[in-house]
DNA sequence: GCACTTTATGAAAACCATTACACCGCGATC
DNA sequence: GATCGCGGTGTAATGGTTTTCATAAAGTGC
């Protein structure tokens, strides 16, 4: 690999000092037009690109942010990442990706990149913040997930309202016996969604039977398993409300295997609106989260925090939207 | 944010020179055990983490690799990224993620991170290499996609063989009129798969009708559109072979909308084996790519190239595997 | 007890850019 | 005509680490 040229070489070539090169690139207006042209010419000839390490060392900012995901394989996170990447790119930042796989050791290891100066801030989709935060107080924004700490900015969807949309939709169709398959119990959003489910049911005067509350972990596999538990439990239900689309997909498979038709025998509602859900059979009725925007807004806030030393943490709650498709119908009386 | 401590502070604390600190951390065996202990204690007390920028500046290696994806939203790439991330993490590297969105300007902009020293090498899932490569010859590995340049290492799946599996499977079931929905025409793998399809058909003595060759772009939406074209074309077929699972999902939807049953009226085979495919209705018969491994092997090769100056580019072709599920059956009558 | 390794440590250069400060020359001001 | 201000530029310090080279101390062999 050819060794890149340095500011010194450019300076020699353009017959000016290195300070002028730096200025011509950072703050062109302060150098005389003709000098600037000469510098630019030299830069072009030598294919000069400033060394980022040197710059970062001097300015102590890396212009890199770290994004931590529990599972990059999940298309839902994929979309958020895209939003993050888009926002970062537009403002000249880049995104270091960490797939923690729900593992705290990995998370901690990534967090140390902040201490080492490799990244300027952290965007986490995990349900907690790294230990290190309490010692170093670095810039951080939680996305989707959140922790109960008002010093931390968060961007998230209105989960209770989202689930309420789903439950109301089912209730309007005439369902009364609605089962629920939750998310990973260790994630606060699972709680939020479950609480949203319970309280909406209550508001509508519908019964919340413990026998109809199943536990999942947001994966299709867990949805399939939970649905089986519901069926085996014997308590009757005409609809299932799921904490994620993938869970819904899994549940639908179990229902099929038991000879039950969706939506005729059982209606299903998902959550997230992953790209594939409209192509399922039947197309999945679901609650859409503004995924791309979630990521985008999160970077915006993080970048603002990086720029503004008097930044006040804030919370942004984005609305959900009901996507009514084919997996829901009135109950077979 | 608290300012991290520097090697100098640690040195004062441990009563040694900064050189000793550096050595104790980089190459512990060369410092006396008791000194080492003292250093380690000081490091722990001050929460010292070496500044990465300074180190990179000095050593001119960043221990970061850049991964370029055309579309991070695609679950197939998500799995590859996971493999990459895993391999990188194990060896102390981290992954900078670039979502190029098939855009060359973005790609070029990311490539400049190499020139700036921000990353040590490039792992690209794009069908071409950045311009810059021809000037700088940096370490690079192409994953999945490839370019016809023997100076570039590549890791990919055996696409023709994969498609051959699919076609043979259909032929064994008795299908003779098999349609094909291809990938984005500007990606070499689309070509490879299409050629694999054509030559296998020929080998089996089956006709390849131009009316049964449709063009897609790997998305579900394109699959739906292409399937419609096939149906509208009027040429009869009993099976469709798709260049990706998502395409297959889209095609299945179109078939349903036209009242056709999968697999009874039309069999469908996908390619990739994305996580959701086994949960579809019917579960999708598909050709599995070893996605995680693709990513993992790619990093291995890239890292080897980074270490070994006499590295010879090489190509690794990974095998595919047929996943027979419910979307294929013998043709009716 | 002497010459000679070996081992452990320190001093200082180097990596490459940014930037505070000083300087120079020149037109404007009183 | 001395002074001021200002645009344009250079000098040199600075950021934090790694690493070469020198040096000091301790160990070896005769």
């Amino acid at each position: 690999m050819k060794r890149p040229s340095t500011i010194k070489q450019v300076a020699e070539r353009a017959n000016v000092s290195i300070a002028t090169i730096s200025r011509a690139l950072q703050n062109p207006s302060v150098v005389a037009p003709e000098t600037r042209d000469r510098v630019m010419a030299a830069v072009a000839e030598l294919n000069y690109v400033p060394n980022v390490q040197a710059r970062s060392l001097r300015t102590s900012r890396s212009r890199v942010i770290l994004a931590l995901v529990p599972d990059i394989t999940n298309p839902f996170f994929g979309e958020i990442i895209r939003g993050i990447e888009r926002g970062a790119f537009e403002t000249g930042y880049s995104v270091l990706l960490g797939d923690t796989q729900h593992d705290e050791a990995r998370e901690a290891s990534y967090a140390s990149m902040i201490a080492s100066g490799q990244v300027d801030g952290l965007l986490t989709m995990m349900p907690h913040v790294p230990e290190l935060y309490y010692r170093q107080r670095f810039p951080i924004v939680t996305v989707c997930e959140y922790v109960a700490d008002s010093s931390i900015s968060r961007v998230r969807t209105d989960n209770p309202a989202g689930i309420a949309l789903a439950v109301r939709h089912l209730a309007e169709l005439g369902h009364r016996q609605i089962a629920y398959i939750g998310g990973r119990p260790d994630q606060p959003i699972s709680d939020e969604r479950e609480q949203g489910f319970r309280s909406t049911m209550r508001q509508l005067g519908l019964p919340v039977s413990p026998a109809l509350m199943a536990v999942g972990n947001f994966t299709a596999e867990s949805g399939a398993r939970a649905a089986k538990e519901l069926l085996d439990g014997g308590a009757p239900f005409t609809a299932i409300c799921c904490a994620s689309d993938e869970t819904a997909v899994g549940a639908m498979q179990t229902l099929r295997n038991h000879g039950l038709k969706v939506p005729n025998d059982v209606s299903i509602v998902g959550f997230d609106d992953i790209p594939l859900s409209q192509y399922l059979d039947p197309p999945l009725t679901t609650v859409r989260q503004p995924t791309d925007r979630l990521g985008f807004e999160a970077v915006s806030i993080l970048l603002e925090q990086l720029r503004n030393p008097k930044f006040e943490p804030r919370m942004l709650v984005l609305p959900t939207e009901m996507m009514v498709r084919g997996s829901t119908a009135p109950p077979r009386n």
Side-chain angles (χ1 to χ4, degrees), chain A:
Chain A
M1 176 171 168
K2 226 182 65 200
R3 188 203 201 88
S5 37
T6 75
I7 200 172
K8 211 166 156 188
Q9 298 171 321
V10 183
E12 259 165 45
R13 181 95 169 205
N15 254 311
V16 291
S17 75
I18 59 169
T20 301
I21 304 294
S22 179
R23 276 187 293 250
L25 293 167
Q26 299 295 312
N27 197 359
S29 66
V30 305
V31 344
E34 55 227 70
T35 319
R36 198 194 312 155
D37 291 348
R38 229 168 50 240
V39 170
M40 291 314 185
V43 166
E45 282 170 51
L46 298 175
N47 288 315
Y48 172 66
V49 183
N51 180 303
V52 173
Q53 328 287 0
R55 167 183 296 167
S56 296
L57 177 58
R58 189 63 245 263
T59 60
S60 54
R61 19 184 46 254
S62 63
R63 297 188 79 78
V64 176
I65 60 184
L66 175 62
L68 248 34
V69 220
D71 175 10
I72 178 66
T73 288
N74 184 323
F76 171 67
F77 289 122
E79 292 192 68
I80 296 181
I81 300 270
R82 155 161 291 184
I84 292 176
E85 204 266 2
R86 187 165 56 88
F89 187 83
E90 286 177 9
T91 41
Y93 274 75
S94 15
V95 180
L96 247 166
L97 180 74
D99 184 356
T100 63
Q101 299 172 16
H102 291 286
D103 176 37
E104 301 215 9
R106 274 182 147 248
E107 185 188 34
S109 153
Y110 273 112
S112 79
M113 299 181 96
I114 300 217
S116 74
Q118 192 162 15
V119 299
D120 292 342
L122 175 61
L123 229 53
T124 179
M125 278 149 268
M126 302 282 292
H128 44 75
V129 296
E131 262 308 310
L132 185 67
Y133 175 75
Y134 299 105
R135 266 185 281 133
Q136 302 239 338
R137 297 279 155 176
F138 46 78
I140 186 175
V141 175
T142 60
V143 195
C144 313
E145 293 290 351
Y146 65 92
V147 291
D149 181 335
S150 61
S151 76
I152 297 175
S153 293
R154 25 209 216 266
V155 175
R156 55 202 205 79
T157 37
D158 193 341
N159 286 303
I163 287 285
L165 286 177
V167 175
R168 287 221 154 76
H169 168 67
L170 291 171
E172 273 164 25
L173 289 171
H175 294 274
R176 293 189 48 83
Q177 291 153 326
I178 305 177
Y180 181 78
I181 302 181
R184 266 177 84 113
D186 58 350
Q187 298 185 223
I189 55 164
S190 306
D191 245 48
E192 274 203 328
R193 293 189 189 162
E194 185 176 324
Q195 292 312 321
F197 176 78
R198 288 180 188 275
S199 72
T200 311
M201 290 291 276
R202 224 175 295 121
Q203 274 173 38
L204 296 172
L206 299 177
V208 178
S209 153
L212 292 183
M213 300 295 291
V215 175
N217 64 13
F218 294 121
T219 64
E221 183 275 328
S222 79
R225 195 166 17 83
K228 186 151 187 328
E229 283 167 25
L230 289 174
L231 290 171
D232 290 351
F237 57 90
T238 61
I240 308 179
C241 184
C242 299
S244 84
D245 281 359
E246 311 217 275
T247 310
V249 170
M252 278 166 67
Q253 182 172 70
T254 300
L255 294 174
R256 271 199 306 277
N257 292 347
H258 284 249
L260 295 167
K261 292 269 180 246
V262 175
N264 297 350
D265 296 314
V266 178
S267 286
I268 297 250
V269 186
F271 204 104
D272 285 352
D273 194 23
I274 61 175
L276 237 44
S277 36
Q278 57 183 302
Y279 290 99
L280 297 172
D281 179 28
L284 186 64
T285 294
T286 190
V287 179
R288 153 166 246 157
Q289 297 199 57
T291 36
D292 182 271
R293 220 187 125 204
L294 235 28
F296 188 83
E297 300 284 356
V299 214
S300 308
I301 293 181
L302 185 63
L303 294 184
E304 192 187 322
Q305 179 168 10
L306 289 176
R307 278 192 220 102
N308 177 2
K310 301 193 65 62
F311 174 86
E312 288 293 318
R314 67 167 177 276
M315 174 152 87
L316 182 60
V317 180
L318 298 179
T320 54
E321 187 186 351
M322 192 71 211
M323 310 297 288
V324 177
R325 295 201 271 246
S327 67
T328 48
R332 172 169 285 183
N333 89 9

